Amino acid sequence: GVNLRPTWNLMWTWSKPQIDMNKLLIFQKVNHFPGNKGMVRKDLIKSNFERTMKLGRKAAESFNILPETYILPKEISKFIEVFYEAHEREGPLNIWIVKPVGKSRGRGISLINDIAGLKYAETIVAQKYLKNPLLLNGYKFDMRIYVLVTSLNPIEAFVYKEGFARLSTVPFDLNVADLDNLFIHLTNSSVQKNSNNVDNMSSDAIVGGTKISLKTLRQRLERKGISWAPIWN
């Protein structure tokens, strides 16, 4: 437990804080809302998105942003059915990305195109792999955007306009022999820092490792004729 005498203003913890939220003083802030794992854990995100999409047409359109996703083993029967239907259409290019629900830094992630490659000892999510991502000079990238949520009801959130993009270090391809090469398919810095190709990446405004600032990403995309405004919106 934590002494709740008025000796602190901000508590910032990695895991769930062991305090009574009802006894916080008006000026004391904690970086976890009760139940906030519903916004960040992969299986709960999927369930909450589906629940939200049932609220109405506008909600269904706004939250229709996840690839086809299944929680395993809970939805294993449906997943196997969908997997084999897709295999009939796509053959070996029926690729799924499999992730543990509560881990970070790329740990435990794999790509499969054969149901025999599906192995798990804990709850996982299987998502249809996006085979035609927007690339940066042939490399996969993602964007890390920082959002500070200070209230849920009413919702109050602040989006930080600078952040960074994370790059892979091996050019993207869909060669099924390369599905195990995470340096192609994942952008996690914890994965890419071990790549032999890190030193070969362009050093244009590198933030560290295989990261570039959002400002640099915007410049590179605009040089390719890609407008930044709809991406940011």
Side-chain angles (χ1 to χ4, degrees):
V2 174
N3 187 342
L4 282 178
R5 289 181 302 170
T7 56
W8 58 274
N9 297 88
L10 175 67
M11 178 186 295
W12 197 276
T13 68
W14 176 255
S15 56
K16 181 180 178 180
Q18 301 300 308
I19 62 173
D20 185 347
M21 295 286 190
N22 293 315
K23 293 182 179 178
L24 289 180
L25 300 174
I26 190 68
F27 56 83
Q28 293 179 317
K29 306 296 183 185
V30 182
N31 70 319
H32 287 265
F33 289 101
N36 71 342
K37 67 180 180 181
M39 294 192 293
V40 297
R41 210 176 75 182
K42 300 177 184 74
D43 57 334
L44 299 179
I45 289 174
K46 190 254 188 181
S47 299
N48 286 328
F49 270 42
E50 288 183 342
R51 186 178 300 116
T52 302
M53 290 173 69
K54 295 175 181 176
L55 296 177
R57 182 180 60 83
K58 188 173 182 180
E61 292 173 354
S62 298
F63 282 81
N64 185 26
I65 58 176
L66 285 182
E68 190 170 8
T69 305
Y70 296 92
I71 303 171
L72 308 180
K74 184 169 71 174
E75 298 176 323
I76 186 65
S77 297
K78 180 63 176 176
F79 173 69
I80 291 174
E81 176 186 338
V82 169
F83 183 95
Y84 281 115
E85 287 176 356
H87 185 75
E88 291 294 316
R89 298 189 303 271
E90 303 174 64
L93 287 179
N94 173 37
I95 302 170
W96 294 75
I97 186 166
V98 179
K99 311 172 184 180
V101 297
K103 290 184 177 177
S104 59
R105 306 195 300 275
R107 292 172 296 171
I109 296 180
S110 62
L111 274 67
I112 63 169
N113 66 348
D114 185 338
I115 205 78
L118 187 63
K119 299 180 178 66
Y120 53 90
E122 58 187 322
T123 303
I124 60 173
V125 295
Q127 290 185 312
K128 188 70 172 174
Y129 190 55
L130 300 181
K131 297 197 285 283
N132 186 30
L134 177 63
L135 302 176
L136 197 59
N137 300 330
Y139 295 88
K140 280 189 71 173
F141 72 94
D142 71 3
M143 296 190 296
R144 180 57 60 95
I145 310 294
Y146 291 100
V147 181
L148 173 65
V149 180
T150 53
S151 172
L152 292 180
N153 188 14
I155 185 70
E156 182 178 62
F158 300 85
V159 182
Y160 190 51
K161 292 183 179 178
E162 185 54 278
F164 58 87
R166 306 181 301 180
L167 298 163
S168 65
T169 55
V170 177
F172 181 74
D173 74 62
L174 275 180
N175 186 336
V176 294
D178 291 333
L179 292 186
D180 290 337
N181 188 344
L182 299 184
F183 298 133
I184 296 174
H185 298 290
L186 299 188
T187 54
N188 305 73
S189 302
S190 298
V191 172
Q192 295 295 341
K193 70 181 182 182
N194 299 311
S195 172
N196 292 329
N197 291 351
V198 169
D199 294 336
N200 298 329
M201 301 295 292
S202 166
S203 60
D204 178 18
I206 288 290
V207 176
T210 58
K211 302 175 187 176
I212 58 173
S213 67
L214 282 186
K215 178 182 178 182
T216 298
L217 175 66
R218 174 177 180 169
Q219 291 170 345
R220 290 191 185 181
L221 290 175
E222 288 177 341
R223 286 201 295 263
K224 290 161 58 77
I226 297 170
S227 174
W228 178 254
I231 294 175
W232 186 251
N233 288 338

